[in-house]
Amino acid sequence: MALTVERAGFVYGRGTAYSSRALDGISLTVSPGEVVLVLGATGSGKSTLLRLAAGLAPPSEGRVLVDGVDTAGPDASRLRGRVGLVFQRPEAQLFAETVAEDLAFGPRNLGRSERDARADADEALEAVGLDPEAFGRRSPFTLSGGEARRVAIAGVLAMRPAYLLLDEPTAGLDARGRAAVLGVVAEAKRRGGVAVVTHDAEELLPLADTVLVLEGGSPVFVGPAAELLARPAPLEAAGLAVPPVLDVQVRAVEAGARLPMLTLDPALAAEILAASVRRAR
Amino acid sequence: MRFPTGLGQYVPVPSPLHSLDARTKMLLGVALTAALFLVRGFAGLIALALVVAMALWVSRVPPRVAFRGLRAVALLLAFTVLVHALSLGAAHPLFRFGPVSVDSAGLLEGAFFGLRIVVLVVGTSLLTLTTTPIDLTDGLERLIRPLGYLGVPTGDIAMMLNVALRFIPTTAEEAERVVTAQQARGARFDEGGPVARVRAYVPVLVPLFVSLFRRADVLATAMEARCYRGGRGRTRLRESHMGGRDWVALAAGVALLSAIAATG
């Protein structure tokens, strides 16, 4: 049981003068209860990878399997609702008169009964940390940025997908909104497999189990998040910012400090650095 | 999912027709339309068809592309030919279906009106096929400028045209984004009868309008922040000029078309 991308490649406008390769030889596995982080600069092919994983486009090479079923195969229709994709700025897709109504859109499309759809909607709203009583009756156009983003994510969660794919879920939100969305990612991990695409490593690395770093459509790093934390060089290779907390520690090591580990937690990092200074005295 | 915009069909090849000023081509288009509705017989119509064929040849636009515009009026074309061809109780019917029959006079009449539509559509599409949308709006602005003396805000109309044109690809892109997002939520746009299909677009149209209004608001504020005070007295970066070639082409074209209209 997993969502697997096997040596997939993708070419936009294949066979035309505008043909351009977006992905080349990407392999990735998202297992239930796991967060996979896909990092890459703008234009590195991250969003294309999510479209392939969600079955919205068939890969030009390789294949995408959801629980063993090929998304480009004859049984692909069985996968309806198995993979939930949350696009960039998903609040732009809210349309209904009330939040509850909007959230029930997906479950209804999957053919669930009116009662089940309502229950799914309420449950999804709770999952993103919003009170169904208070928010269900509101118009989606009166929500704050962070609330609208969470409602939009809930709209996908309401379909109860086994795998949730998120494209830049924290982009453009204030600190409170970002924290709330990170909470949603943690909650989604309890419900199934999660893949998150972003160019901002700092916030999501602590939540990630596995990381894939893309550069120009090709992988420059695949492995456990802890491994990337210990040696963050691939981030720079991919044109991404090394999180400042991590950068300070990397530079301290280069300057001769001996640190037992590298961490993204500022408090822990300060403690480790202080301890190393004490040892040096 | 593609939204047909009908624009952006400009064919970028170098040709004498491409290098004419947009105003010249627009006025010639008007003259052609007038001539088409003035000619009474096949001789004149065929002469006009030949003129359009010549223009098409000069424009170096692939004929396949020029005839593409006919797809939009295919139904109208078929209807026109049929209505003229069918008649009740014709004297010398070629063949009949029950009470309805087809005679050669009706068939000829149908062919005449059908050909008129074909020449009109192909001839006027040459305008958009050989002129960039920007040149078109520039040309239109210059053409309507005299209306400014009557109090018509021609500068504002031109700015609206420009902005509208600029928003077409943005809107198409936005629409495509929303369609994909709703598809990812299980929406189907290709099922059910006509009513069901129209209803299926509600989840697309509502967010699309909301975002368009937001965008328009931001753009208006941004334009004001850059001191836009209406179109009056604005100068242009690129002034289009009616050159000698334009006047010659216009004079020759109008003369030819009027001659055909008068004799055909």
Side-chain angles (χ1 to χ4, degrees), chain A residues 184-260:
Chain A
V184 173
V185 173
E187 170 64 25
K189 176 180 168 162
R190 295 202 307 111
R191 296 158 172 256
V194 184
V196 188
V197 152
T198 181
H199 58 247
D200 187 6
E202 186 160 13
E203 289 177 321
L204 283 147
L205 256 181
L207 285 172
D209 298 292
T210 309
V211 183
L212 167 68
V213 182
L214 289 179
E215 152 76 355
S218 301
V220 292
F221 175 89
V222 195
E227 204 174 293
L228 185 67
L229 271 181
R231 274 185 298 277
L235 288 181
E236 275 180 291
L240 296 166
V242 176
V245 176
L246 205 55
D247 202 24
V248 167
Q249 298 165 74
V250 170
R251 283 162 199 267
V253 169
E254 280 166 7
R258 285 206 197 135
L259 306 181

Side-chain angles (χ1 to χ4, degrees), chain B residues 151-195:
Chain B
V152 178
T154 56
D156 287 327
I157 291 174
M159 179 59 84
M160 264 161 54
L161 278 174
N162 271 320
V163 171
L165 217 54
R166 167 66 192 78
F167 263 50
I168 289 170
T170 318
T171 309
E173 207 172 279
E174 185 86 13
E176 212 167 319
R177 257 172 52 102
V178 180
V179 165
T180 331
Q182 305 298 29
Q183 271 171 341
R185 290 213 278 167
R188 293 284 182 91
F189 299 103
D190 48 359
E191 283 180 349
V195 179

Side-chain angles (χ1 to χ4, degrees), chain A residues 51 56 80 83 85 87-89 92-96 102-103 105-106 109-110 141 155-156 159, chain B residues 174 177-178 180-188 191 200 202-204 206-208 210-211 214:
Chain A
R51 292 174 72 95
L56 285 178
R80 260 189 108 189
V83 182
L85 174 57
F87 287 85
Q88 279 179 40
R89 304 201 164 265
Q93 75 200 38
L94 301 174
F95 70 95
D102 200 282
L103 294 182
F105 179 67
N109 286 333
L110 292 179
F141 301 106
V156 174
M159 296 163 71
Chain B
E174 185 86 13
R177 257 172 52 102
V178 180
T180 331
Q182 305 298 29
Q183 271 171 341
R185 290 213 278 167
R188 293 284 182 91
E191 283 180 349
V202 169
V204 174
V206 172
L208 190 61
V210 169
S211 88
R214 286 215 177 111

Side-chain angles (χ1 to χ4, degrees), chain A:
Chain A
M1 292 287 276
L3 192 168
T4 45
V5 176
E6 292 180 357
R7 293 181 300 282
F10 192 76
V11 181
Y12 279 103
R14 173 170 255 186
T16 70
Y18 306 103
S19 161
S20 78
R21 177 165 282 282
L23 284 177
D24 196 10
I26 302 291
S27 294
L28 180 73
T29 302
V30 184
S31 304
E34 188 191 30
V35 173
V36 175
L37 187 60
V38 181
L39 294 170
T42 304
S44 60
K46 314 183 293 283
S47 299
T48 306
L49 177 57
L50 279 198
R51 292 174 72 95
L52 294 194
L56 285 178
S60 308
E61 303 107 27
R63 52 184 196 160
V64 177
L65 301 174
V66 178
D67 298 337
V69 179
D70 194 327
T71 57
D75 294 333
S77 60
R78 287 202 345 237
L79 297 175
R80 260 189 108 189
R82 293 289 288 164
V83 182
L85 174 57
V86 179
F87 287 85
Q88 279 179 40
R89 304 201 164 265
E91 52 276 22
Q93 75 200 38
L94 301 174
F95 70 95
E97 277 168 48
T98 65
V99 166
E101 200 51 30
D102 200 282
L103 294 182
F105 179 67
R108 269 190 212 137
N109 286 333
L110 292 179
R112 291 189 195 145
S113 75
E114 198 52 38
R115 251 185 58 200
D116 288 353
R118 296 245 165 239
D120 285 338
D122 284 357
E123 210 260 346
L125 213 45
E126 264 168 42
V128 298
L130 297 173
D131 177 21
E133 282 296 307
F135 282 89
R137 271 168 296 168
R138 281 178 64 178
S139 158
F141 301 106
T142 62
L143 303 172
S144 76
E147 288 164 356
R149 180 77 51 94
R150 279 189 280 165
V151 166
I153 297 174
V156 174
L157 278 179
M159 296 163 71
R160 284 192 268 119
Y163 303 94
L164 181 69
L165 314 177
L166 299 148
D167 197 349
E168 301 278 7
T170 56
L173 295 182
D174 59 15
R176 190 182 297 161
R178 287 205 304 275
V181 168
L182 293 179
V184 173
V185 173
E187 170 64 25
K189 176 180 168 162
R190 295 202 307 111
R191 296 158 172 256
V194 184
V196 188
V197 152
T198 181
H199 58 247
D200 187 6
E202 186 160 13
E203 289 177 321
L204 283 147
L205 256 181
L207 285 172
D209 298 292
T210 309
V211 183
L212 167 68
V213 182
L214 289 179
E215 152 76 355
S218 301
V220 292
F221 175 89
V222 195
E227 204 174 293
L228 185 67
L229 271 181
R231 274 185 298 277
L235 288 181
E236 275 180 291
L240 296 166
V242 176
V245 176
L246 205 55
D247 202 24
V248 167
Q249 298 165 74
V250 170
R251 283 162 199 267
V253 169
E254 280 166 7
R258 285 206 197 135
L259 306 181
M261 62 178 285
L262 302 186
T263 174
L264 277 166
D265 180 358
L268 186 57
E271 237 170 74
I272 291 173
L273 285 169
S276 113
V277 170
R278 276 198 299 275
R279 264 200 318 269
R281 278 200 187 125

